Amino acid sequence: YGTAYYALVDRAQLRAGEHLLVRLLLQYPECRDVVRAELDARDLETAAVRDVVHTILRRSEDDSPVVYLAILDHLPRDEDRDLLTRIAFREEPLPPPEAAADCLRTLRRERLERERREVQRQMTKAVDPTTVDTLSVRALDLARQINALS
């Protein structure tokens, strides 16, 4: 298999983790507090479920009902409502609430890997030695953070 195949597999696993996170947030109130405390907004920057997750967390923060129909009513875009509907009506078993931490680690690792790729891209274009050194330090820091999440 080539690199493109593994990229697709990784992307599919990431999407599955995003969808699982939404299901856990809908089902388990205790997950909402954990996610609110641990989530870095940058972890969801490219996530398809970003607005769904933020809506769930906002509603739970206000002590508003966090149920499918209430969340659906507060999503402004059709694609978010469609996504929530597809996720909410999945029939596979739901793992325990502790799985939310794994979802967060997956999202964080993906973001850090994206940042590392960007830093590496910048390093290939940099000509100033000081800039290259700064970027190298950042790349190493990102690699350490990624390894810590593995």
Side-chain angles (χ1 to χ4, degrees):
Y1 298 104
T3 308
Y5 169 79
Y6 291 109
L8 286 174
V9 169
D10 287 347
R11 198 75 188 133
Q13 290 173 342
L14 178 63
R15 289 286 183 231
E18 291 174 4
H19 293 189
L20 178 57
L21 180 62
V22 169
R23 292 180 65 219
L24 291 167
L25 289 171
L26 285 170
Q27 184 66 34
Y28 300 119
E30 61 270 30
C31 287
R32 298 174 204 141
D33 293 332
V34 169
V35 170
R36 190 178 296 106
E38 298 293 323
L39 183 67
D40 182 324
R42 296 173 300 166
D43 295 340
L44 287 175
E45 280 177 348
T46 63
V49 298
R50 179 186 64 230
D51 292 338
V52 174
V53 169
H54 287 307
T55 300
I56 292 170
L57 295 177
R58 253 192 327 273
R59 289 197 52 81
S60 68
E61 213 169 43
D62 299 339
D63 290 325
S64 299
V66 178
V67 293
Y68 166 74
L69 288 175
I71 300 304
L72 194 69
D73 286 343
H74 284 82
L75 291 169
R77 298 180 329 167
D78 287 340
E79 54 266 22
D80 291 330
R81 289 190 293 274
D82 292 343
L83 180 61
L84 175 61
T85 300
R86 285 193 313 275
I87 292 170
F89 289 101
R90 294 182 83 138
E91 294 193 17
E92 64 245 3
L94 194 61
E98 296 79 21
D102 293 333
C103 295
L104 290 175
R105 272 192 298 281
T106 299
L107 288 167
R108 172 101 10 105
R109 187 173 36 253
E110 173 64 22
R111 176 190 46 94
L112 293 171
E113 288 174 357
R114 240 185 359 263
E115 287 181 22
R116 183 177 61 179
R117 285 189 301 271
E118 176 58 23
V119 167
Q120 289 170 335
R121 186 190 65 73
Q122 291 174 4
M123 285 173 58
T124 62
K125 293 180 177 185
V127 290
D128 174 45
T130 305
T131 302
V132 172
D133 286 347
T134 302
L135 291 170
S136 295
V137 169
R138 178 68 179 141
L140 286 172
D141 180 52
L142 289 166
R144 276 193 284 274
Q145 290 179 56
I146 292 166
N147 287 337
L149 291 171
S150 300

